[in-house]
Amino acid sequence: MKCFALSHTAHSATFALLLFSCSLSSAALADSDLVSYQQEHQIGVMVNAIDKAISDAQPDSLELIYQYGTDSRYYVMIRGWLVQELAGVQSQLDAYKQQDERRQKLEHQVNFLKQAIRRIDLE
């Protein structure tokens, strides 16, 4: 009977240890999930800011693109985005033959995108 009691106590201790380690891993996973969520949120904020900066095409927008675009984690993504935007706007400009306000806006956008690409490439 003593052998059973010792065995039962050992199993209970093992079970308690397993429960404790599971709770630690759950806490670690929860922390990991939180960090992952925060990183995803930061990337989402960056994407929205870049999208707005490209749409606005103002001098202060260049600075924002420069700030994010010179971060080595995001450089390739942002440069690719700018190149694709430039190709689309350049295509519209090439097809647009009238000399009016719309053409001026397209020319401004092309110049802005080229400047943005140059700014992040020079860094």
Side-chain angles (χ1 to χ4, degrees):
M1 195 64 148
K2 284 183 183 179
C3 195
F4 174 74
L6 286 175
S7 173
H8 180 64
T9 305
H11 286 308
S12 295
T14 304
F15 183 70
L17 187 59
L18 281 172
L19 282 177
F20 179 70
S21 67
C22 285
S23 68
L24 285 178
S25 4
S26 293
L29 284 175
D31 288 344
S32 174
D33 288 346
L34 179 61
V35 168
S36 178
Y37 172 78
Q38 288 172 336
Q39 289 172 339
E40 290 170 6
H41 179 73
Q42 288 173 341
I43 291 170
V45 167
M46 177 198 59
V47 166
N48 285 336
I50 296 281
D51 186 45
K52 184 172 177 0
I54 290 171
S55 298
D56 291 348
Q58 299 299 318
D60 59 329
S61 299
L62 278 175
E63 185 60 32
L64 182 97
I65 292 170
Y66 171 79
Q67 291 297 323
Y68 283 119
T70 54
D71 186 329
S72 61
R73 297 172 294 176
Y74 310 123
Y75 168 78
V76 172
M77 178 187 76
I78 293 171
R79 189 180 192 291
W81 186 355
L82 292 170
V83 167
Q84 291 303 310
E85 287 284 332
L86 177 59
V89 175
Q90 185 67 57
S91 175
Q92 290 177 39
L93 181 61
D94 292 344
Y96 203 83
K97 302 299 179 194
Q98 297 176 1
Q99 296 293 331
D100 61 5
E101 186 179 333
R102 174 73 178 138
R103 183 171 183 83
Q104 289 175 351
K105 286 181 181 179
L106 290 170
E107 288 171 345
H108 174 72
Q109 189 73 13
V110 165
N111 291 332
F112 172 82
L113 291 166
K114 286 180 179 179
Q115 278 184 307
I117 292 168
R118 270 194 305 271
R119 291 264 328 253
I120 65 172
D121 281 350
L122 289 176
E123 200 53 36

